Amino acid sequence: MEVPRRTFTTKEVAQNNTIHSIWCIIDGKSYYDELLVPTQPTRSTASIAMNFFRNIMISASARLGATNLSLVHSAPGGLSQVPYAEPIWLNRLYRSPYYNKSHLTFLHAVRNFVDVHMYPEAQQKESDGTYISKELIGKMAQNNILAMRLGPGVHLHNLTLMNFLPGDQFDYFHDLILSPELSRAVARGFQDADVAGLAIGLTAIRQWAADPRLRDKISQECLSGQKFICLAITEPFAGSDVSGIQTTATKSRDGQYYIVSGVKKWITNGMFADYFVTGCKSEDGFSVLLIPRDEKRPD
């Protein structure tokens, strides 16, 4: 059967869900093939579906037709109506003892932020390869999203998250919501550039910095979006095997400074970071130094 080349709505596609007419949506196009249905009625629907997708993937059948699709998107912050597209705790038929109203409100707030502010920029940055904008970082800081990237803790106390949630009420279930919602930007490179270095770099400073004043200063700078931080461990010949790093830190003759020599590679946010939490080998063994950038940070 020749498939008409025209635009369909998602509702029209959904109506074709029988063994005699199977339609589906892949990458914004609707696919149709009634001749894939086997003659034996005993075969399962799953088997029919597998056969259907196999034919799509290998493009071996001239019977298969692709048409444009008029997609209907949810409003910003809204939930998907596609079955199993959302976490099970959002299903009205399921009641979780771990999630409450604050978690649902939080999900909608973060999702709305991602849909309105992050997604458009993510697609642009993924296309042109430029850094995340200062404007978006500022908006994330205003909503304390940067602070939430570190997980629950005292650093959130006295803060208001997403303009409604007291920071001391942010728990690990809010944290479980945050990460997948931020990934809805659907841009892998952008997601790493989205201050991922802060989550793995600033945590080390807050946990092990010897000087509380330095810890608080750097925390304030990074969580406000004024400066960026990264964790510099990986090298060309050492990554997961941290003990194999070759970067060295040797004290100067007067003992006031460290002379650091080596190469780091694949450092998340390293291109524009202001602070480098740097793993190296010293006379004391494995050491971690906080090294500020000594040159102008690229815009």
Side-chain angles (χ1 to χ4, degrees):
M1 175 182 177
E2 180 65 24
V3 180
R5 263 45 177 185
R6 68 180 183 84
T7 298
F8 293 96
T9 65
T10 52
K11 184 176 181 180
E12 288 177 295
V13 175
Q15 291 172 347
N16 291 270
N17 60 356
T18 70
I19 62 172
H20 301 293
S21 180
I22 304 174
W23 293 36
C24 72
I25 300 169
I26 300 177
D27 291 338
K29 291 185 178 294
S30 58
Y31 289 87
Y32 166 96
D33 192 348
E34 65 177 9
L35 299 181
L36 287 172
V37 180
T39 56
Q40 297 86 353
T42 56
R43 292 187 62 181
S44 67
T45 302
S47 176
I48 297 172
M50 287 298 294
N51 189 36
F52 177 58
F53 284 107
R54 186 182 303 111
N55 277 268
I56 291 177
M57 296 305 293
I58 65 176
S59 301
S61 174
R63 301 188 302 267
L64 192 63
T67 68
N68 293 326
L69 183 70
S70 176
L71 293 176
V72 179
H73 297 282
S74 301
L79 299 179
S80 173
Q81 300 304 308
V82 176
Y84 305 108
E86 299 288 358
I88 190 65
W89 68 270
L90 292 171
N91 191 311
R92 295 180 180 179
L93 301 179
Y94 178 81
R95 183 175 180 82
S96 170
Y98 306 108
Y99 293 91
N100 55 43
K101 185 177 180 180
S102 77
H103 296 102
L104 180 60
T105 304
F106 180 75
L107 181 145
H108 283 297
V110 176
R111 182 169 296 189
N112 183 76
F113 183 91
V114 172
D115 290 346
V116 174
H117 301 293
M118 290 187 67
Y119 180 82
E121 178 162 325
Q123 302 311 304
Q124 174 196 342
K125 300 302 183 182
E126 198 79 353
S127 176
D128 61 28
T130 55
Y131 296 136
I132 186 172
S133 70
K134 295 179 180 178
E135 290 75 17
L136 181 55
I137 291 294
K139 292 175 182 177
M140 294 176 69
Q142 290 172 9
N143 286 275
N144 290 307
I145 293 176
L146 299 182
M148 287 187 281
R149 295 292 297 274
L150 304 186
V154 296
H155 64 287
L156 295 179
H157 293 187
N158 301 319
L159 298 180
T160 300
L161 315 179
M162 304 307 298
N163 296 313
F164 85 95
L165 181 67
D168 57 357
Q169 294 182 21
F170 182 84
D171 59 29
Y172 283 104
F173 292 98
H174 291 102
D175 195 27
L176 281 173
I177 293 170
L178 181 65
S179 294
E181 288 304 315
L182 293 180
S183 71
R184 289 172 61 87
V186 196
R188 187 64 186 88
F190 175 85
Q191 287 169 221
D192 275 348
D194 180 20
V195 203
L198 176 142
I200 56 178
L202 187 57
T203 47
I205 296 299
R206 293 195 57 80
Q207 184 69 30
W208 289 293
D211 186 344
R213 293 174 299 178
L214 180 64
R215 176 199 64 202
D216 294 342
K217 173 181 178 294
I218 295 175
S219 294
Q220 191 279 327
E221 291 175 336
C222 293
L223 296 182
S224 65
Q226 298 175 33
K227 292 193 175 183
F228 302 99
I229 192 169
C230 69
L231 181 65
I233 299 293
T234 306
E235 300 179 357
F237 302 103
S240 300
D241 179 17
V242 178
S243 64
I245 64 173
Q246 300 176 15
T247 297
T248 60
T250 306
K251 283 188 177 181
S252 59
R253 291 182 178 180
D254 58 11
Q256 296 187 41
Y257 306 98
Y258 277 102
I259 301 173
V260 180
S261 178
V263 178
K264 296 295 180 180
K265 192 173 183 180
W266 301 300
I267 305 304
T268 302
N269 299 164
M271 295 293 290
F272 54 83
D274 298 286
Y275 295 112
F276 300 82
V277 181
T278 309
C280 50
K281 289 183 176 179
S282 69
E283 60 184 14
D284 299 320
F286 183 82
S287 300
V288 178
L289 302 179
L290 177 65
I291 304 176
R293 178 182 288 273
D294 62 358
E295 59 184 22
K296 182 180 179 181
R297 177 170 57 83
D299 293 328

